[in-house]
């Protein structure tokens, strides 16, 4: 009988010990979710109503978009980084920005990702934010288009163009990191890359 009580105590203690890491994991996830803006959280629960097509004709049938700060940051990034690209190319750049938001390696908001490093000339992630030139939206038609891309992306458009890319560059340049990052796609004038997987060491 005593032996049975000791075994039960041991088993109950083991279960409690096993629960501790699980509880910690839930607490970490809850804290991480708490840092995500309401707009981004809402986007995970929505999907664009229409089937997505990467064409100007289809995009022209979508409503003119508006939104909060995260939408504005994404729309401006698309305007300055990809307004001359095809619709597919604009969605691809939007994917990269949202892939960064989802990555622990980058800030967890669109505005945080877009403005990372801003203030240090040519040391930022998106050159238009630190090249010393004033950011002027001179083409309202182009901005309306990228604003729709931004809204659809934030609302949960599938991210299937770049295979999880977190980086891109135009074909006119050849950054050092492009030699070690796996290339995932080429769309328009941009090459897309994913960060190399880090292997843990014992």
């Amino acid at each position: 009988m005593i032996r049975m009580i000791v075994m039960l105590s041991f088993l109950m203690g083991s279960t409690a010990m096993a629960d501790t890491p699980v509880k910690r994991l839930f607490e970490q996830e809850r804290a991480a979710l708490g840092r995500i803006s309401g707009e981004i959280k809402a986007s995970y629960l929505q999907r664009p109503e229409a089937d997505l097509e990467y064409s100007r004709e289809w995009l022209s049938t979508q409503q003119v978009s508006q939104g909060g700060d995260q939408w504005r940051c994404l729309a401006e990034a698309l305007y300055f980084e990809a307004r001359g690209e095809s619709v597919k190319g604009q969605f691809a750049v939007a994917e990269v920005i949202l892939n960064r938001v989802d990555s622990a390696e980058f800030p967890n908001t669109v505005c945080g990702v877009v403005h990372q490093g801003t203030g240090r000339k040519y040391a930022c992630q998106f050159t238009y934010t630190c090249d010393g030139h004033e950011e002027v939206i001179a083409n309202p038609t182009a901005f309306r288009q990228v604003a729709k891309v931004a809204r659809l992306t934030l609302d949960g458009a599938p991210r299937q163009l770049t295979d999880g890319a977190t980086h891109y560059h135009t074909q006119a340049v050849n950054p050092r990191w492009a030699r070690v990052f796996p290339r995932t796609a080429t769309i328009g004038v941009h090459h897309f890359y994913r960060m190399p997987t880090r292997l843990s060491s014992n």
Side-chain angles (χ1 to χ4, degrees), residues 37-46 154-155:
S37 75
E39 189 174 337
I40 299 283
K41 254 187 257 186
S43 76
Y44 292 136
L45 305 175
Q46 301 173 17
L154 286 171
D155 285 349

Side-chain angles (χ1 to χ4, degrees), residues 49-201:
E49 293 176 12
D51 291 331
L52 181 63
E53 291 180 26
Y54 300 115
S55 71
R56 291 186 194 278
E57 293 75 23
W58 178 83
L59 199 58
S60 70
T61 67
Q62 304 304 300
Q63 291 185 356
V64 175
S65 301
Q66 295 184 23
D69 291 343
Q70 304 308 308
W71 164 79
R72 182 76 188 187
C73 285
L74 183 55
E76 287 181 359
L78 295 177
Y79 178 83
F80 290 110
E81 292 282 312
R83 70 179 176 271
E85 282 288 286
S86 66
V87 171
K88 188 175 184 180
Q90 291 168 358
F91 271 99
V93 170
E95 276 186 28
V96 168
I97 293 169
L98 290 193
N99 288 342
R100 285 188 175 202
V101 171
D102 291 346
S103 169
E105 302 290 328
F106 299 95
N108 62 358
T109 66
V110 172
C111 292
V113 163
V114 168
H115 293 287
Q116 186 178 15
T118 300
R120 296 173 294 148
K121 193 162 186 180
Y122 299 117
C124 54
Q125 297 292 310
F126 295 88
T127 307
Y128 81 92
T129 69
C130 66
D131 60 5
H133 299 296
E134 189 179 356
E135 296 155 24
V136 177
I137 296 173
N139 186 335
T141 303
F143 185 77
R144 275 195 298 275
Q145 176 170 307
V146 296
K148 292 178 184 183
V149 172
R151 182 75 271 155
L152 288 162
T153 306
L154 286 171
D155 285 349
R159 291 187 233 163
Q160 57 196 10
L161 297 172
T162 66
D163 194 20
T166 51
H167 291 70
Y168 67 91
H169 66 80
T170 69
Q171 295 177 37
V173 298
N174 186 22
R176 273 197 311 264
W177 52 260
R179 297 172 206 151
V180 292
F181 285 23
R183 187 185 297 178
T184 61
T186 298
I187 301 170
V189 300
H190 288 121
H191 292 313
F192 294 85
Y193 302 80
R194 191 171 45 239
M195 290 173 66
T197 304
R198 290 183 181 172
L199 299 176
S200 61
S201 56

